[in-house]
Amino acid sequence: MGQLSNRTIAVLTESGFEEVELTEPVKRLREEGATVHIISSKSGKIKAWDHDHWSIEVDVDKTISEANAEDYNGLLLPGGVINPDQLRVNEDAIAFVKSFFADGKPVAAICHGPQTLINADVVQGRKLTSVKNISQDLINAGALWSDEEVVVDQGLVTSRTPKDLPAFNDKIVEEFAEGVHEGQHA
């Protein structure tokens, strides 16, 4: 039994997620015993992006309209350029993200994933990192951006790029295992 054997984690994504930013964290979470659900706006399959081309397809477990944040212990937002750009304008996705912060549950986002957090209005005063391309967007939204491999702020885990995945994966396991963080409330 792993550290997360009693945890259910939501992975909120759309087609266009960066392949390794979903597959590597999901693999690690499952190795630690977590139940992981892929949640998207559409049922069926979603397609990954791998650096510069479309790649694998992943089964969607639940649509955003079917998913209830109360059923999950944590939330993972993979990056990729296309995926967060779609999520951040989806009102149901934004409401889903906000409910994790309202309940103090751990949230993890990598690369461009924090873009969704901007539209959810949960980065003000929070220390985090991301791919450098969106650093100014996060700063303009009130985040305390830092160019580090992984940043943890009261249950919010962020990383920059796929090269940071080993550190990111270690921290998401730790934070998802800890559970609710009182300071996480938005």
Side-chain angles (χ1 to χ4, degrees):
M1 271 212 317
Q3 296 181 62
L4 302 176
S5 60
N6 60 345
R7 302 279 195 254
T8 304
I9 308 301
V11 179
L12 181 60
T13 188
E14 297 285 3
S15 283
F17 61 89
E18 186 65 40
E19 181 181 330
V20 296
E21 294 174 1
L22 182 141
T23 58
E24 291 300 312
V26 166
K27 178 183 174 198
R28 178 67 186 279
L29 292 170
R30 288 182 174 149
E31 286 172 355
E32 293 291 341
T35 300
V36 179
H37 291 165
I38 306 298
I39 299 170
S40 191
S41 63
K42 297 178 180 100
S43 60
K45 294 183 182 289
I46 53 175
K47 202 165 207 168
W49 187 258
D50 186 11
H51 302 291
D52 60 1
H53 63 277
W54 291 104
S55 64
I56 65 169
E57 289 187 333
V58 175
D59 290 324
V60 172
D61 296 301
K62 291 186 177 189
T63 64
I64 296 168
S65 60
E66 296 169 333
N68 184 339
E70 292 176 10
D71 297 335
Y72 298 96
N73 303 104
L75 174 64
L76 171 65
L77 298 168
V81 177
I82 301 166
N83 161 47
D85 200 50
Q86 292 177 26
L87 286 175
R88 67 185 182 155
V89 295
N90 181 317
E91 291 179 20
D92 293 335
I94 295 301
F96 190 72
V97 169
K98 283 182 172 185
S99 47
F100 282 85
F101 283 85
D103 293 340
K105 294 177 182 177
V107 174
I110 186 167
C111 198
H112 287 79
Q115 281 184 314
T116 305
L117 302 178
I118 293 170
N119 287 42
D121 198 26
V122 294
V123 299
Q124 177 74 38
R126 301 298 294 269
K127 185 176 180 194
L128 50 87
T129 193
S130 67
V131 65
K132 202 165 211 131
N133 304 29
I134 66 166
S135 62
Q136 194 61 52
D137 299 330
L138 288 160
I139 292 165
N140 290 344
L144 308 171
W145 190 85
S146 180
D147 188 9
E148 296 177 57
E149 173 178 69
V150 65
V151 173
V152 180
D153 181 345
Q154 296 292 318
L156 174 59
V157 182
T158 53
S159 274
R160 301 171 299 192
T161 66
K163 71 179 173 52
D164 300 326
L165 278 166
F168 180 70
N169 290 343
D170 287 346
K171 280 298 179 188
I172 66 173
V173 168
E174 181 182 323
E175 295 301 308
F176 290 157
E178 285 178 10
V180 172
H181 291 67
E182 289 304 316
Q184 175 70 312
H185 299 287

